[in-house]
Amino acid sequence: MASSFTRLISGRNTAVLLASLGAGTMATGFLLSESGPLAAEGRTKLYPPSSDFPDLRKHNNCMATALTPAIYAKLRDRVTPNNWTLDQSIQTGVDNPGHPFIKTVGCVAGDEESYEVFAELLDPIIKDRHNGYDPRTMRHPTDLDASKINNAVFDENYVLSSRVRTGRSIRGLSLPPACSRAERREVERVVVTALAGLKGDLAGRYYSLGDMTDKEQQQLIDDHFLFDKPVSPLLTCAFMARDWPDARGIWHNNDKTFLIWVNEEDHTRVISMEKGGNMKRVFERFCSGLKQVEHLIQERGWEFMWNERLGYILTCPSNLGTGLRAGVHVRLPKLSKDPRFSKILDNLRLQKRGTGGVDTAATGDTFDISNNDRLGKSEVELVQMLVDGVNHLIECEKKLERGQDIKVPAPVAQFRK
């Protein structure tokens, strides 16, 4: 039976009542009324979208560029089947106007359905972040055939380590910004159960962040495997650190060259890595392990989030498609001081970071160089692009060592439309 408060607010004298009590008083009473679902629905209608539109005048991220008052008005009151809202999606971009080293996306998905429910905003963001890729008209290719990669063993006088990573999400469960404790624990259960089926050089062990011993924790720190509770505001404002460290953990093979992070920024982060410059071997292990993990997941009645327009679905729109980041730590003492260095990287579709990650500036002469693209090219294409680009950088470094001039390469084609 509807409460007297609910009947009162639905009556024709509502406007008079709001004026006499004040909107804040009314909203407080409304939220405390016994009619929960009706109260939530009514509250969204208390103020027009124009009153809720965020102040983005000093912002520099993809969300702030794409979000207009008209789009906000259209999407504000929509919810996904898991009750994820537009305001929750954009909160990280509202709270973080910009980033000192990269242009951020400024929003996250709470579930697979977010990319459809909020498509009027997310499609332009995807197009901006992924170099004109149109998710309504284009199709994303997938290719995990590592035999197609060429010239992928780097000169180890320059390349110190090689790494390929991606993410995968379990269909039917909310993504980390929105998941309940139960969903997060289910992700852990599904993934860890599947990983127990890996054999041979991929066989390994899972370490729960909440249950590991001090000795195990120190070993993971020494191996540079352990991920900490998120402190970056880009992640905390996207609700990534809730209930930490509940249902988070790290799995790695016995050789410590194949890792899977569980319930960090995505359901899973899959990483193949090793010291030195053998990117060919790193990518072979990456492809083999990823295929086996997907097969084991499917055997247990689950599947990864994927569609032909967006490829693999992940939390951040920047990681759609392949979700792949292939990178090396490489020494470039002379090239890094050349004024053409940034232009060379841009034309090769590469990005540089500090060796400490996305939130660190490069220091000294060692850089984390990786592919800049994720969507519209296959895994093989992106890794080959990284390989060709790093080989070019090393050749430039060698020329500068010999006192020879270098040239800025022509821009690499972005993708086939």
Side-chain angles (χ1 to χ4, degrees), residues 12 50 115 119 128 135 159 175 201 259 262 280 299 305 414:
R12 57 192 298 182
S50 58
Y115 288 102
D128 180 12
V159 173
L175 296 169
D201 62 352
L259 290 74
V262 179
K280 177 77 169 179
E299 278 190 336
M305 296 181 191
Q414 294 176 0

Side-chain angles (χ1 to χ4, degrees), residues 214-234:
D214 291 342
K215 182 179 179 180
E216 290 169 342
Q217 180 177 2
Q218 187 58 51
Q219 184 61 57
L220 289 168
I221 292 173
D222 293 342
D223 291 333
H224 304 288
F225 290 173
L226 190 66
F227 62 87
D228 295 322
K229 180 177 181 179
V231 295
S232 168
L234 294 173

Side-chain angles (χ1 to χ4, degrees), residues 102 129-131 140 149 154 162-167 272 279 282-283 286 318-330 344-353 358 367-390 393 412-414:
I102 59 173
R129 173 58 182 83
H130 296 285
N131 316 303
H140 172 78
I149 298 297
F154 300 121
S162 305
R163 181 177 186 260
V164 181
R165 66 86 163 155
T166 190
S272 176
M279 179 60 79
V282 169
F283 189 53
F286 173 84
S318 67
N319 285 322
L320 291 169
T322 61
L324 183 141
R325 182 172 178 270
V328 298
H329 285 184
V330 57
I344 291 172
L345 291 174
D346 288 344
N347 283 8
L348 294 173
R349 300 300 302 159
L350 301 178
Q351 67 176 189
K352 71 176 188 293
R353 299 179 177 181
V358 65
F367 299 84
D368 182 338
I369 302 292
S370 63
N371 56 293
N372 194 41
D373 299 324
R374 306 282 187 271
L375 179 62
K377 287 182 179 291
S378 72
E379 291 82 356
V380 165
E381 289 176 294
L382 291 177
V383 172
Q384 190 64 58
M385 183 183 298
L386 180 278
V387 167
D388 294 343
V390 170
L393 297 178
V412 172
Q414 294 176 0

Side-chain angles (χ1 to χ4, degrees), residues 219-292:
Q219 184 61 57
L220 289 168
I221 292 173
D222 293 342
D223 291 333
H224 304 288
F225 290 173
L226 190 66
F227 62 87
D228 295 322
K229 180 177 181 179
V231 295
S232 168
L234 294 173
L235 299 180
T236 57
C237 294
F239 321 113
M240 302 283 195
R242 293 173 299 124
D243 309 310
W244 200 270
D246 186 59
R248 276 89 169 188
I250 301 167
W251 181 95
H252 68 72
N253 67 342
N254 297 327
D255 293 336
K256 299 182 178 180
T257 56
F258 190 68
L259 290 74
I260 296 182
W261 292 355
V262 179
N263 285 322
E264 189 229 13
E265 182 179 340
D266 291 297
H267 286 168
T268 63
R269 279 285 174 94
V270 181
I271 306 164
S272 176
M273 59 188 287
E274 63 180 69
K275 293 189 179 300
N278 198 330
M279 179 60 79
K280 177 77 169 179
R281 185 167 56 212
V282 169
F283 189 53
E284 287 172 345
R285 184 189 310 114
F286 173 84
C287 294
S288 173
L290 203 52
K291 291 173 184 176
Q292 290 185 51

Side-chain angles (χ1 to χ4, degrees), residues 37-59:
L38 289 175
E41 182 183 353
R43 186 181 59 159
T44 62
K45 298 176 181 177
L46 187 58
Y47 298 104
S50 58
S51 297
D52 263 339
F53 188 75
D55 183 354
L56 303 173
R57 289 173 295 175
K58 297 182 179 180
H59 287 56

Side-chain angles (χ1 to χ4, degrees), residues 82 84 88 109-111 174-180 183-184 238-239 242:
N82 298 303
W84 182 252
Q88 289 171 310
D111 47 30
S174 296
L175 296 169
C179 66
S180 65
E183 285 178 303
R184 189 184 302 116
F239 321 113
R242 293 173 299 124

Side-chain angles (χ1 to χ4, degrees), residues 201-217:
D201 62 352
L202 294 178
R205 179 186 166 190
Y206 179 70
Y207 299 85
S208 166
L209 263 60
D211 298 334
M212 69 177 63
T213 66
D214 291 342
K215 182 179 179 180
E216 290 169 342
Q217 180 177 2

